[in-house]
Amino acid sequence: MISEDGSEQVIVRLDGVRKEYGDSVALDGVSLEIRAGEAVAVMGPSGCGKSTLLNMIAGLDRPTAGSVFVDGEDLAQLNETGLALYRRRRIGMVFQFFNLIDDLPALDNVALAAQLTGTSAAQARKRALELLDELGIADRRNVYPAALSGGERQRVAVARALMNRPALLLADEPTGALDSHAGEQVMDLLIDLNQIGQTLLMVTHDPRLATRCASRLIEVADGRLVRESALERTP
Amino acid sequence: MSGAVWRASRAAVRRRRLQTFVIGLVVLTSTVALVVALGLLDAASAPFDRTFDQQRGAHLVATFDPAKATDAQLAQAAHQPGVTDVAGPFAQVVLTAPPDRAAPAAGVDTPPPGPITVVGRADPGGPVDRVDVWSGRWVTGPGEVVVMRPPGEHWGANEEVGSRLILPGAPPLTIVGFASSLSQTAGAWVSPDQMPALHPTATQLLLRFAHAGSDSQVRAGLTAVTAGLPQDSLLGSLSYLTVKQDMTSTANAYVPFLMAFGVLGLVVAVLIVANVVSGAVVSGSRHIGVLKAIGFTPNQVVAVYLVMVLVPGVVGCVLGTVLGVLAAHPLLHMVFAGFDYGYFTATLSPWVVVLTLLGMPVVVLLAALVPALRAHRLSAARAISAGSAPGTGRGLRVQRRLSGTRLPRAVSLGLGLPFARPGRTAMTLTALVLGVTTVTFAGGLSSSVAAYTDAARDHVQSVSYVGDAGVGQVEPKLTDAQIEAKLRSLPGALHVTAAAPVELRMTGGSQVVRGWFLRGDSADMSSAMVKGRWMKGPGEVVVGTPFVRKHHLAVGDHFTLALDGRQQSVTIVGETVTGDADRVDATWETLTAFAPDRSSSRYVNQYWVQLAHGADVGAFDNAVKAAEPGLNPSESGDVNSVTVTIVGSSSVLTLLLTTVAALGVFNTAVLNTRERRRDLGMLKSIGMTPRQVMVMVVTSMAALGLVGGLLGVPLGIVAHRLIVPSMVEAVGSSLPAAMMQVWHAPTLTLLVLAGVAIAVLGALVPARSAARLTIAEVLRSE
Ligand SMILES: Nc1ncnc2c1ncn2[C@@H]1O[C@H](COP(=O)(O)OP(=O)(O)O)[C@@H](O)[C@H]1O
Ligand SMILES: [Mg+2]
């Protein structure tokens, strides 16, 4: 979807998105556009609705009102199966607490994402191994998540998210559960990915992560966007 | 199935060893219980009819006088439209085994004293009465004999293939085999060529009718056959309905209990499997969220969960079926050998195996489907945050209120835990209530069975029949009163009753009932009373529940009995646990009132003796025979073995069900606590000592266990109160109130404590492993 002024393609467009949980309002009329190749950081106090925002974009939950378009797809038009296909093809997700499948070793955790799209097991493993190699954890491929360090787990999670070459990478406090060294490594990883063109939307508490990785900062409070600013990246 | 689904489910099966193992074990144990329960249900529902059909039993065994009707005439007469099959005519003679019970010479069989019917028959098969030759072979010529015995029974000394059978008036015969006939057409069979040497006195005809459902149909069949035969040529006849009544009355009494166990086993197996499987799905919600987040479709998630529980489910089902078949065979044999003398082939029907093999996986599938469909609907965002979601408002409120109490903080936290996750708490509580209810009910059932068995037990160990010259027996020389006195004086005799069975007419004149007029110690030898008391004076009668039902009478009602034109009004003063629909027990004075001008003694045809504890029945019977050769003493059915087998089999089932219930509770407690490992790590990280963590876990499970026990025990008692009497009623019997009072406070307390203990044990296993992990590891593992 090319916009009228001919600038980069809009990957994400939110229009008046509202989300209520019972009586409480988690998102209160959020509108937002993200263009291809951008790296956007979302910041705000705990409980302000950052994760909810990400979940709306990932199609993990549906808004009470408003619309979400991602990569030309109107998520409201998709049924549950449609949303699953959308998640596996268009987006990759990284969580604060990794959310790896404990029953599978690192390599299979990553390969599983490709197998879902119909790739053969052998092919999927080959690509998974390449990714793990790129992320510097190929030697840990046969280790189960419980035995991996936090940084290693998050790198496995990133590899899994990248497996199907997503149009959009979503990260919810990707360094939130990591020590500063592991956090640095993940940050570098995200910067590298964005530099080779990966569109990135990340939620963080860490101003360093925002300023190092993001080109734009969105601040959220009480379910509303309160400020938007362009960032000069500080390498 | 896509590769991703298969990979994810296989990994889950392999890595969740405890869960996989418990699902497999619960399904296995439930399957064993199911096979045994279905086998019992099946075998108990129609033991007589099944074997009777297998053997193509004779609906009627008729004997004719060969001097009045020739074989050709009989064959001709049997040719009737209502007669579907005929066997015979076979020559028959009744020989009497000698009373001498002195030790026989080696290799010589001395059968129990009394008449023995010998029939000449060339072939054990044929259209009617396919005799089951279960040992040795059939007779091939003169000098050989096949003895009628149900499998596993030994009636005579040295009774084995190869022994010689010595019968008066017959040449020595070699036993070549043992066979059983449910129609009881003979006590022994010889070759037809042998018969002339035995001087046959009767001819036997075995008949099957197109319609033989009732007494009148069987009688009509007999009338049609005898219509064309010379007058008085019929010597006697035996309807299969009479045999069936005799043989199945004891078995029938236990059918309701076996049914109750069967139904209970079925229900509990299904419910516990459902609970365990749903537990696995409910506790996997974060896993479900992850699968959804990386793009598994809802259907694929459902598929992963179904495969995950079906793998151990199918393995458990197959192994359980094999074990169940292995266990059911000896159990069924034991149960049925106990009360029908081994005539019935209580084998496990193939349909039981087929139904279990197909049904159990379906149960597992359905049990998993309901929660799996919940997983289908569960929003991915909600599922993925399930592990770290904040407590519900109610949970926090309870927690706050508890923290205000003076309880140690670990205890109050533990008490609050169940409120934090109401869904999982409900799951655990369901397992607990189900478990305690099952054990309560099964234990009560088994106690009721024991009480019933004890009450219904015959208090008669030896019955002496009065010899009848009409069938070639010696008649007693002593008078009725002298015999009674003699029996009382014999060593070992505790109580003696003289019994006079007499056919009577009831009011209206159409109904015939059998009156048993009893003299002597009948009050001490009676079976347990459901209502009222034992009879005392003239005009008082006692009947069984089936009589009360059939004739619409109750304790306190009066009715009229008639004998030889004399009428007497009698009052029902008591209702017994045992008895049949057409039997009335009455006092001796009542009989005297019917026949004041004649001696009532002529009606007495048997004496019942209850022996002192530990007395030897065989020795007593020998003493009777020695004292009065005109009496034919015989051992009364070994009912103690019935007690043992019934109580034994109900204990086996109770044990199986208890195991299943305990496993269910254990599994749920394990899953529930494992879920909370992260919470435990968190609490340790804020300064809780490992001991405090343990106290908290134990408190939370103990509280649940207590609630489960307090709900489950009354439920089990109510179920017992509702189900047992109605099942007993279904077979036309009833239980005295005393037999329903099987509950005792100490047992119940123990039961609740056992429930608590299992729940706590189930919680301690994962709590201890969590305590051994470092805090960082626990926190990281989510
Ligand atoms: N599944 C849910 N059910 C109920 N309330 C929720 C749920 N998810 C989030 N919330 C509520 O919505 C608000 C925003 O939550 P969230 O988006 O997780 O905040 P954060 O900015 O810390 O990520 C919070 O008040 C939270 O309690
Ligand atoms: Mg958040």
Side-chain angles (χ1 to χ4, degrees), chain B residues 541 552-559 570-573:
Chain B
V541 298
H552 307 290
L553 292 166
V555 171
D557 286 352
H558 310 280
F559 61 95
V570 294
T571 309
I572 302 177
V573 295

Side-chain angles (χ1 to χ4, degrees), chain B residues 698-756:
Chain B
V698 169
T699 308
S700 96
M701 270 302 155
L704 278 184
L706 203 63
V707 173
L710 292 180
L711 288 175
V713 165
L715 271 179
I717 294 179
V718 167
H720 180 262
R721 284 273 152 83
L722 291 179
I723 294 168
V724 173
S726 62
M727 301 221 66
V728 174
E729 208 148 305
V731 291
S733 189
S734 58
L735 281 182
M739 286 181 208
M740 293 300 294
Q741 251 103 58
V742 290
W743 310 106
H744 310 288
T747 336
L748 292 179
T749 314
L750 212 65
L751 204 61
V752 174
L753 290 182
V756 172

Side-chain angles (χ1 to χ4, degrees), chain A residues 87-88 99 125 146 153, chain B residues 7 286 292 295 300 780:
Chain A
R87 281 195 292 272
R88 73 168 80 136
N99 280 331
R125 285 199 176 166
R153 285 190 214 188
Chain B
R7 176 149 292 274
R286 197 187 63 93
K292 285 192 168 183
Q300 286 176 319
R780 239 181 47 182

